[in-house]
Amino acid sequence: MSRETLIADRIEITDLFTRFALLLDEKRWEDADTVFTDDVAVHSPRGGELRGIDKVVGFMRQSEVEGQHAQHTTTDLLVDIDGDQAAVSANSLVYYYRDGQAPHFTGGLRTAGTVVRTPAGWRIREHRVTPAWTREN
C-alpha cells in the first residue's frame, strides 16, 4: 500500500468517525448506512449486543429523550490499517443538554472496533463502547 493511499485511508476513517458523531447528534437515523455496514455489530452496556443496521437504528430511535440533545466529540483516534479493514479505537466525550442550557450530564467513553472498505467508502463493521466515567452536572 502506498504512503498516499495510507494517508487517504486514515483521513477517510477519521471523517467516518466525525460523520458518526454528527449522525448521533443530529438524530439522522436514516443516514446510518453512511457510517455502518448492513451487518454491523454494536456492543454497549446500555444496548447489549446489537447485530444488523436495523436493530442498531431501532435502538438509537428508542433511546431518544424528548427535548434532550447530545454533542459527541471524538478524540485520540488510533487506526491500524490492514488492507481493506482497520482496527480503530478512540475516546469520546458526550455532553447531554437541553436547548440553551449547559450540559446536565456528561460521559467519557472508550470505543474500539473494526472498519472496512466498501464500494461506498469506509464503514463501521463492529463498534464496542465502554463507559469510563459519568458526571451529573
Side-chain angles (χ1 to χ4, degrees), residues 93-96 103-108 132-137:
L93 298 173
V94 186
Y95 304 92
Y96 295 94
H104 60 272
F105 189 81
T106 308
W133 56 270
T134 58
R135 179 177 69 198
E136 289 191 43
N137 302 332

Side-chain angles (χ1 to χ4, degrees), residues 13 16-18 20-21 23-24 35-37 39-52 56 59-60 72-75 77 86-92 94 109-116 123-131:
I13 292 167
L16 172 65
F17 274 74
T18 300
F20 180 37
L23 178 141
L24 293 171
V35 296
F36 296 122
T37 61
D39 62 345
V40 64
V42 175
H43 313 270
S44 75
R46 281 186 39 213
E49 182 175 321
L50 303 166
R51 291 199 173 272
V56 171
F59 177 77
M60 291 187 296
H72 291 75
T73 58
T74 304
T75 66
L77 182 64
V88 294
S89 65
N91 289 314
S92 183
V94 186
L109 308 172
R110 187 74 183 140
T111 64
T114 304
V115 298
V116 294
R123 297 292 186 268
I124 299 168
R125 180 191 303 154
E126 183 176 18
H127 190 70
R128 293 185 178 278
V129 178
T130 305

Side-chain angles (χ1 to χ4, degrees), residues 28-80:
R28 289 184 293 104
W29 315 133
E30 68 279 1
D31 294 336
D33 63 340
T34 67
V35 296
F36 296 122
T37 61
D38 287 339
D39 62 345
V40 64
V42 175
H43 313 270
S44 75
R46 281 186 39 213
E49 182 175 321
L50 303 166
R51 291 199 173 272
I53 196 168
D54 292 337
K55 287 193 178 177
V56 171
V57 169
F59 177 77
M60 291 187 296
R61 284 184 195 278
Q62 91 177 48
S63 297
E64 288 184 48
V65 175
E66 183 70 31
Q68 179 173 272
H69 306 285
Q71 182 180 30
H72 291 75
T73 58
T74 304
T75 66
D76 307 323
L77 182 64
L78 291 175
V79 177
D80 184 15

Side-chain angles (χ1 to χ4, degrees), residues 1-13 79-82:
M1 176 179 302
S2 75
R3 180 178 170 95
E4 290 79 19
T5 300
L6 184 61
I7 291 169
D9 285 343
R10 288 180 178 280
I11 291 170
E12 288 180 37
I13 292 167
V79 177
D80 184 15
I81 298 172
D82 183 14

